[in-house]
């Protein structure tokens, strides 16, 4: 089967750094994405890693290790508005190339406290 | 980004009935998808909506239950047929744009409650 595992909940304080891990086991893999979803809102794209290493976008960074089937999202200088659910998602791929199908992880609820 | 609207935003339906959800995008996109998300849970892909042809369904989802249309590049519908309380969920459409191939844009969702 296909699975993407994340911690269910993470709590941190404003200004801190938090890391949300994602381990995946999928039949196809072309890249790892991260999405943020506020309560009652639509998921919004944060980052995408196709290759091993770290991608930085402002306060958010994302890391991928394809050999370990592992990635993480790093959030720095946490703000109250970062309280949301965070999902990793594998972009499905086959021998013929990438698809745009996403397989979502279990999701991590981040609570930022003052 | 892409501006995506869904109608209705929410509905309460009786079991055995059907509901059609519309997804409209403000610009031409390459791909459109339909997802289901139960409150507090992750997103599950239902199908890829193909323009002018039958949708491609994921394992566990069938056309008789979730018929999908995509008559053009900017519009798609998902019908939830013969509903039961287990169909209560949030249904989201998403799109991929030509100029942003690694990113999916999601609609605001349709919150469906089946009594």
């Amino acid at each position: 089967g296909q699975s993407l595992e994340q911690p269910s909940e993470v709590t941190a304080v404003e200004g801190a750094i938090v890391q949300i891990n994602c381990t995946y086991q999928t039949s196809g893999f072309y890249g790892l994405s991260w999405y943020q979803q506020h309560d009652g809102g639509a998921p919004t794209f944060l980052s995408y890693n196709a290759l091993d290493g770290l991608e930085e976008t402002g306060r958010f960074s994302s890391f991928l290790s394809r050999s370990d089937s592992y990635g993480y999202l790093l959030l720095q200088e946490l703000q109250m508005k970062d309280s949301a659910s965070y999902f990793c998602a594998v972009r499905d791929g086959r021998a013929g190339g990438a698809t745009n199908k996403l397989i979502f992880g279990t999701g991590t609820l981040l609570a930022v406290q003052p | 980004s892409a501006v995506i609207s869904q109608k209705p935003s929410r509905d309460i339906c009786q079991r055995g009935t059907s509901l059609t959800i519309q997804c409209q995008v403000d610009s031409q996109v390459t791909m459109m998808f339909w997802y289901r998300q139960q409150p507090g849970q992750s997103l599950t892909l239902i199908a890829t909506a193909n323009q002018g042809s039958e949708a491609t369904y994921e394992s566990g989802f069938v056309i008789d239950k979730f018929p999908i249309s995509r008559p053009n590049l900017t519009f798609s519908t998902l019908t939830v047929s013969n509903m039961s309380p287990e169909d209560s969920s949030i249904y989201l459409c998403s799109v991929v744009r030509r100029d942003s191939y690694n990113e999916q844009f999601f609609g605001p969702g349709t919150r469906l409650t089946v009594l």
Side-chain angles (χ1 to χ4, degrees):
Chain A
Q2 311 208 81
S3 68
L4 288 84
E5 297 295 327
Q6 302 177 232
S8 58
E9 294 183 18
V10 173
T11 302
V13 297
E14 270 188 301
I17 300 173
V18 71
Q19 178 174 313
I20 300 174
N21 298 320
C22 172
T23 56
Y24 59 88
Q25 185 173 1
T26 58
S27 55
F29 179 88
Y30 207 80
L32 187 70
S33 300
W34 287 92
Y35 285 79
Q36 177 192 61
Q37 185 178 31
H38 286 98
D39 191 27
T44 57
F45 173 82
L46 293 177
S47 68
Y48 176 73
N49 295 68
L51 302 175
D52 287 356
L54 190 68
E55 294 280 344
E56 298 182 63
T57 309
R59 293 189 297 115
F60 294 178
S61 303
S62 57
F63 172 82
L64 174 65
S65 169
R66 296 175 67 128
S67 60
D68 295 323
S69 298
Y70 165 76
Y72 66 73
L73 179 69
L74 191 72
L75 298 86
Q76 303 181 72
E77 301 173 17
L78 281 174
Q79 303 175 9
M80 297 295 290
K81 67 178 183 180
D82 297 329
S83 293
S85 291
Y86 292 83
F87 295 93
C88 61
V90 163
R91 182 177 173 189
D92 195 17
R94 296 285 185 266
T99 74
N100 282 95
K101 290 169 47 174
L102 292 179
I103 305 164
F104 278 83
T106 51
T108 300
L109 182 62
L110 171 64
V112 180
Q113 297 178 340
Chain B
S1 64
V3 177
I4 307 170
S5 61
Q6 284 186 233
K7 291 182 182 179
S9 58
R10 59 178 61 231
D11 208 341
I12 300 173
C13 302
Q14 297 297 320
R15 69 170 67 211
T17 62
S18 297
L19 176 72
T20 295
I21 302 168
Q22 299 179 2
C23 178
Q24 178 74 54
V25 191
D26 67 334
S27 58
Q28 293 186 355
V29 295
T30 58
M31 304 188 76
M32 297 182 78
F33 301 93
W34 286 97
Y35 289 85
R36 181 169 73 182
Q37 183 179 30
Q38 303 202 316
Q41 302 296 314
S42 185
L43 289 84
T44 301
L45 179 63
I46 298 172
T48 303
N50 300 309
Q51 185 198 355
S53 64
E54 190 173 292
T56 305
Y57 289 85
E58 298 301 305
S59 176
F61 298 96
V62 295
I63 188 171
D64 289 346
K65 177 66 175 178
F66 298 101
I68 289 170
S69 77
R70 188 181 173 192
N72 56 51
L73 288 174
T74 62
F75 184 77
S76 178
T77 66
L78 167 73
T79 299
V80 186
S81 303
N82 189 24
M83 288 185 285
S84 66
E86 292 71 36
D87 296 320
S88 297
S89 193
I90 300 169
Y91 292 85
L92 301 113
C93 68
S94 75
V95 304
V96 174
R97 291 169 44 121
R98 285 183 204 283
D99 58 355
S100 189
Y101 213 63
N102 295 326
E103 178 177 355
Q104 284 194 23
F105 299 92
F106 285 83
T110 296
R111 184 179 292 269
L112 171 62
T113 301
V114 183
L115 303 178

